[in-house]
């Protein structure tokens, strides 16, 4: 049975071009980029080139790129490194819909006596910028707000937010793990100080990420040890991962508009096809400001997990929440923050597409879903028969 992969916000297929590029670094070219000899030095050159490619996609200086182990590390480093560098400021502002890589770090600081402000969202998952502005003060060390939501795809007005935060002299971090490669980002014209990326969300391997740190931003290193990454992140580099991420950024740049247009067309077709054929279902999130690849749909009165199991029989992979929250019986914290009723939040499914999906896959899925939903509703104790 062929796999139909609609779970790209959880992780993506490594691009074949990326795989080809990194193969030699697992086998023949195993040198340490910090070595003095030519054998290691040639690897160092490839890392420099990868840094340039990431910087080109983001519109920043290569010196502003720190390679990390994952998106979670970038988020942790941004928050912890900023708080350590500004010990007199004791307040963090974030949102209720962040990924746990941000939210759990902030809540941990609450236990250490910090004041944490978690901004609310409306029923479409949108922020109220006046609420944000009312909390900015001299005690605020960092504002950390995601670029795009991993569950609903809702995109926040990050440039506007960064400008507002910067005008008060406060550090601004954004978790752009879901945004990079899907929507344009240009750091050369932005007020963002810190931005995190994860390789495996944009067709690079797992185990690599980036933290962008604007020149002049004070950040205490999180990992101490050797002099890698200019002393800002110790540890021997994940050479194939970094080279792969560089290649993935190059690919994202080459085909940016064309591919995201295609992905949006497929997402819209899938979403409309499902909504038009199933009763009592709705799209979650701000349809006007959304990633082109994400559809989050609630099917009333049934469990998302049951839908997933039935889709799985046809080889269709989707998700019933973020990769990290599925497995728990609690409905997603993001949908709860949006005030989605429990009966709908429990039956929510996220479809997240990539450049590798096809129209045939979308058509096949649109055909399979309505009978699944009808069957589950017949079994549901919440549906009047
Ligand atoms: N931030 C967001 C918005 C995410 O979606 C994810 C992963 O799902 C992460 C952070 C964590 O990234 P990583 O898996 O690379 O640690």
């Amino acid at each position: 049975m062929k796999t139909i992969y609609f779970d790209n916000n959880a992780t993506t297929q490594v691009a074949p071009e990326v795989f080809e590029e990194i193969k030699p670094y697992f086998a023949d070219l195993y040198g340490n980029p910090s070595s003095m000899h030519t054998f290691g030095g040639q690897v160092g050159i490839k890392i420099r080139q990868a840094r340039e490619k990431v910087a080109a996609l983001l519109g920043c200086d290569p010196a502003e790129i720190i390679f990390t182990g994952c998106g979670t590390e970038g988020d942790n480093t941004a928050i912890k490194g900023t708080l350590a560098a500004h010990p007199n400021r004791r307040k963090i502002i974030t949102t209720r819909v962040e990924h746990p890589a941000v939210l759990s770090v902030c809540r941990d600081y609450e236990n250490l006596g910090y004041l944490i402000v978690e901004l609310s969202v409306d029923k479409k998952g949108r922020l109220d910028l006046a609420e944000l502005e009312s909390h900015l003060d001299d005690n605020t060390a960092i504002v950390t707000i995601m670029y795009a939501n991993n569950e609903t795809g809702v995109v926040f007005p990050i440039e506007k937010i960064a400008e507002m935060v910067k005008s008060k002299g406060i550090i601004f971090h954004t978790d752009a793990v879901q945004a990079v490669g899907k929507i344009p980002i240009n750091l050369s014209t932005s007020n963002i100080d810190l931005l995190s990326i994860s390789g495996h969300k944009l067709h690079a391997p797992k185990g690599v990420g980036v933290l962008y740190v604007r020149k002049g931003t004070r950040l205490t290193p999180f990992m101490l040890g050797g002099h890698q990454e200019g002393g800002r992140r110790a540890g021997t580099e994940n050479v194939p991962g970094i080279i792969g991420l560089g290649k993935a950024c190059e690919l994202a740049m080459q085909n940016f508009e064309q591919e995201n247009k295609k992905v949006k067309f497929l997402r819209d077709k899938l979403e409309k096809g499902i909504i038009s054929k199933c009763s009592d279902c709705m799209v979650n999130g701000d349809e006007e400001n959304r990633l082109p690849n994400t559809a989050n749909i609630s099917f009333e009165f049934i469990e998302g997990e049951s839908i997933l199991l039935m889709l799985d029989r046809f080889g269709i992979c989707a998700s019933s929440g973020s990769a990290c929250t599925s497995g728990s019986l609690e409905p997603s914290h993001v949908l709860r923050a949006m005030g989605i009723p429990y009966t709908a939040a429990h039956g929510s499914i996220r479809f997240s597409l990539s450049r590798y999906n096809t129209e045939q896959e979308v058509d096949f899925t649109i055909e399979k879903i309505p009978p699944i939903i009808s069957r589950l509703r017949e079994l549901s104790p919440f549906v009047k028969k």
Side-chain angles (χ1 to χ4, degrees):
M1 187 170 53
K2 191 178 169 290
T3 295
I4 297 180
Y5 191 73
F6 288 141
D7 203 10
N8 287 278
N9 287 8
T11 197
T12 59
Q13 173 190 341
V14 172
E17 299 90 330
V18 168
F19 187 49
E20 278 308 308
E21 180 98 358
I22 67 182
K23 268 194 227 162
Y25 300 90
F26 286 106
D28 304 327
L29 300 174
Y30 53 82
N32 187 324
S34 301
S35 297
M36 289 297 288
H37 42 70
T38 313
F39 185 63
Q42 63 188 331
V43 175
I45 292 170
K46 288 296 287 189
I47 290 194
R48 196 188 71 217
Q49 290 169 348
R51 200 183 303 281
E52 287 165 2
K53 289 174 187 172
V54 177
L57 177 65
L58 297 178
C60 68
D61 192 302
E64 297 174 312
I65 296 294
I66 300 178
F67 286 113
T68 63
C70 54
T72 302
E73 184 188 322
D75 290 343
N76 272 257
T77 306
I79 300 167
K80 296 184 180 202
T82 300
L83 295 180
H86 299 87
N88 297 328
R89 293 185 174 227
R90 307 281 293 174
K91 179 169 159 187
I92 309 172
I93 301 177
T94 187
T95 78
R96 289 175 64 192
V97 296
E98 297 298 308
H99 188 275
V102 165
L103 215 42
S104 52
V105 180
C106 295
R107 288 178 183 168
D108 209 35
Y109 276 98
E110 196 160 27
N111 299 331
L112 298 173
Y114 278 77
L115 178 64
I116 313 300
V117 175
E118 292 181 13
L119 301 171
S120 55
V121 292
D122 68 10
K123 63 180 191 310
K124 289 193 163 197
R126 295 172 301 199
L127 284 172
D128 174 358
L129 297 198
E131 188 194 356
L132 165 63
E133 192 159 31
S134 73
H135 289 289
L136 299 173
D137 60 16
D138 290 349
N139 192 27
T140 310
I142 186 168
V143 175
T144 171
I145 296 181
M146 69 200 323
Y147 218 115
N149 190 275
N150 44 303
E151 296 190 33
T152 58
V154 171
V155 177
F156 286 145
I158 286 300
E159 292 307 336
K160 220 165 153 183
I161 292 173
E163 197 183 326
M164 185 189 277
V165 173
K166 206 68 214 155
S167 72
K168 306 275 183 191
I170 300 165
I171 298 292
F172 180 65
H173 165 249
T174 184
D175 172 341
V177 163
Q178 294 293 345
V180 171
K182 297 174 190 158
I183 49 174
I185 294 179
N186 184 359
L187 292 170
S188 73
T189 55
S190 143
N191 284 298
I192 296 168
D193 297 304
L194 301 157
L195 173 144
S196 15
I197 303 187
S198 170
H200 72 106
K201 311 284 183 180
L202 76 149
H203 306 291
K206 295 166 186 59
V208 66
V210 157
L211 179 64
Y212 156 83
V213 183
R214 179 177 295 284
K215 244 178 235 143
T217 307
R218 277 163 53 206
L219 191 77
T220 305
F222 180 47
M223 299 269 278
L224 301 178
H227 296 290
Q228 294 89 354
E229 298 300 289
R232 296 173 300 175
R233 197 276 189 181
T236 301
E237 297 87 343
N238 170 2
V239 172
I242 290 172
I243 295 172
L245 181 51
K247 183 70 186 173
C249 289
E250 185 180 83
L251 292 173
M253 243 180 123
Q254 273 167 10
N255 308 314
F256 198 89
E257 267 186 40
Q258 197 188 333
E259 272 173 0
N260 283 308
K261 214 170 136 189
K262 174 194 142 183
V263 167
K264 183 175 182 313
F265 166 77
L266 294 179
R267 188 276 312 268
D268 289 347
K269 184 169 188 195
L270 178 67
E271 198 170 81
K272 286 194 185 98
I274 294 172
I275 295 282
S276 65
K277 290 190 164 135
C278 302
S279 61
D280 294 311
C281 61
M282 62 172 191
V283 173
N284 294 314
D286 178 5
E287 287 174 56
E288 264 131 57
N289 296 295
R290 249 190 328 163
L291 292 175
N293 80 319
T294 308
N296 187 309
I297 303 178
S298 276
F299 299 89
E300 286 260 19
F301 315 121
I302 47 181
E303 291 288 337
E305 285 68 27
S306 319
I307 305 171
L308 286 186
L309 289 177
M310 291 183 79
L311 286 174
D312 197 47
R313 290 193 202 157
F314 297 108
I316 301 168
C317 309
S319 157
S320 62
S322 74
C324 313
T325 51
S326 53
S328 127
L329 287 177
E330 272 298 294
S332 121
H333 72 286
V334 174
L335 299 184
R336 271 183 296 150
M338 289 161 64
I340 308 288
Y342 262 61
T343 49
H346 269 294
S348 85
I349 297 286
R350 178 187 70 184
F351 298 92
S352 47
L353 283 66
S354 84
R355 67 170 88 120
Y356 298 114
N357 289 121
T358 64
E359 198 164 356
Q360 286 91 320
E361 292 176 334
V362 167
D363 292 340
F364 180 78
T365 307
I366 294 173
E367 184 194 308
K368 294 297 170 209
I369 287 192
I372 291 178
I373 302 303
S374 304
R375 177 78 191 118
L376 290 173
R377 291 232 172 99
E378 276 164 27
L379 301 171
S380 169
F382 302 108
V383 179
K384 283 197 193 110
K385 312 252 166 28

